[in-house]
Amino acid sequence: MKEIYTIEDLRAWRAGGPEREIRLGVVGDPVAHSLSPAMQNAALQALGIDARDAAFQVRAPELAEAMAAFRALGFLGLNVTVPHKVAALRLVDEVDQLAAKIGAINTIAFRDGRSIGSNTDAPGFSRAVREVFGRALGEMRVLIMGAGGAGRAIAFQCRRECCPEILIGNRSSERAKTLADELKAKALPWDEMSRNAREVDLVVNATPLGLGAADVSPIVTPEYLSGRYVFDIVYGAHETALVKQAKAHGARATDGRAMLLHQGALAFAQWFGLEPPLEVMRAALRS
Ligand code: NAP
């Protein structure tokens, strides 16, 4: 198996070739950093399912062709990641109600010749909050930094669970306002949102800030994080600036690994209708 497959590989794919076991994939650009195949392959192996998951680096103009190829080749399902979550929604036959509202999908299941899109980032985030912090998302006042695909998923989940307050800050203010209007939440100017951290229970980073080792934290008044829960959905080899900052100021902080685990487990359940082996998947992420 290759580390990363491309559109060229899909064009040359032979059902009976060496890649015949690959029936699932994560599709993104870039995709090299994704821990998704390791996690899903551990689950497949644990349950004795005769299929493998692989990473597919697909550029935006190639997405429609790739999707048609996955379907024609008899794939069972896909995870969709940056930057394709919005475009992929328009390429599937059906989307569930939550994903339609969010306007983005991160999971596709192929069933009876049809492709069904859903968004497991939203419930995956909620499960991760419960697991890591021992609190129900719906009880918390939340500040969400970022109104892209992930920020929208988290904000809709917060509304769904009736969070008592939802504040949204985004670099481009128009996007924060649009999302806040949709949810009857409150939009905050990007340079002022930090100060609102002390008005909430949970602060969420849903921007890519933190992916780069030299990235700064979106919070400029770290003292206001004291006593809060901080969820940075970014994860990587290093601790993000926000997580470091939060811990240093007496907050309980976590990175995005638990969200990755739970969105992946929910995707697995959709593909196979089986209880995902959560502990096996978690161990694969740790290693
Ligand atoms: P996206 O749709 O491209 O949205 C990116 C968001 O971040 C936008 O709100 C954008 O603001 C903002 N942003 C980008 N660069 C910024 C910067 N330098 N400073 C401030 N704001 C910036 O991406 P996404 O799908 O929401 O993903 C966001 C991050 O979450 C990614 O790093 C992704 O890997 C991570 N993620 C993790 C999980 C998980 O399971 N842990 C799941 C989903 C996503 P503008 O509107 O101003 O451009």
Side-chain angles (χ1 to χ4, degrees):
M1 246 175 89
K2 283 179 156 187
E3 283 275 299
I4 296 179
Y5 292 89
T6 65
I7 193 75
E8 303 299 336
D9 294 313
L10 278 172
R11 285 174 188 150
W13 207 266
R14 285 180 302 111
E19 269 81 29
R20 64 185 174 280
E21 286 184 331
I22 299 175
R23 312 278 305 284
L24 297 157
V26 55
V27 186
D29 182 24
V31 79
H33 68 284
S34 178
L35 300 176
S36 191
M39 174 175 70
Q40 301 294 3
N41 281 328
L44 293 164
Q45 202 181 358
L47 297 191
I49 297 172
D50 192 17
R52 304 263 310 157
D53 188 292
F56 290 85
Q57 169 120 17
V58 171
R59 290 184 289 252
E62 301 160 351
L63 185 64
E65 181 187 348
M67 290 282 294
F70 289 125
R71 187 199 294 250
L73 290 166
F75 271 57
L76 303 170
L78 298 169
N79 284 125
V80 181
T81 187
V82 178
H84 301 317
K85 292 184 186 183
V86 173
L89 182 134
R90 294 190 209 101
L91 295 170
V92 292
D93 299 319
E94 285 171 39
V95 280
D96 70 21
Q97 222 180 10
L98 176 65
K101 280 191 191 156
I102 294 167
I105 58 172
N106 74 328
T107 300
I108 298 173
F110 295 102
R111 230 173 271 140
D112 305 324
R114 291 182 68 73
S115 52
I116 300 139
S118 59
N119 191 309
T120 66
D121 281 338
F125 173 76
S126 174
R127 288 181 183 211
V129 166
R130 161 83 73 181
E131 180 184 280
V132 178
F133 297 138
R135 294 275 309 266
L137 178 63
E139 293 168 359
M140 296 166 116
R141 297 167 297 160
V142 186
L143 165 61
I144 302 162
M145 305 185 287
R152 286 184 64 84
I154 290 166
F156 271 92
Q157 189 68 26
C158 289
R159 176 52 75 227
R160 223 176 159 204
E161 298 194 22
C162 306
C163 290
E165 179 127 56
I166 305 169
L167 307 179
I168 300 163
N170 193 59
R171 181 178 58 177
S172 50
S173 54
E174 212 31 55
R175 220 168 169 188
K177 190 175 173 323
T178 304
L179 179 56
D181 287 350
E182 278 175 74
L183 291 172
K184 298 192 173 38
K186 190 171 163 197
L188 300 171
W190 180 253
D191 353 335
E192 286 171 30
M193 74 187 173
S194 274
R195 278 189 276 123
N196 290 271
R198 62 185 163 178
E199 315 295 336
V200 298
D201 305 298
L202 173 65
V203 175
V204 185
N205 175 36
T207 77
L209 279 175
L211 273 183
D215 283 358
V216 294
S217 164
I219 289 285
V220 294
T221 50
E223 60 280 16
Y224 294 164
L225 293 177
S226 173
R228 317 282 138 219
Y229 296 96
V230 175
F231 201 122
D232 192 341
I233 72 164
V234 170
Y235 62 86
H238 55 270
E239 196 162 63
T240 65
L242 174 62
V243 169
K244 264 193 216 142
Q245 197 184 43
K247 286 183 180 168
H249 287 85
R252 284 191 63 185
T254 189
D255 72 7
R257 236 166 270 244
M259 177 173 172
L260 178 75
L261 170 68
H262 286 284
Q263 64 76 33
L266 288 162
F268 189 95
Q270 298 212 2
W271 297 332
F272 297 107
L274 294 171
E275 189 67 33
L278 205 59
E279 293 317 314
V280 169
M281 297 171 89
R282 192 193 310 278
L285 283 181
R286 263 196 229 113
S287 60

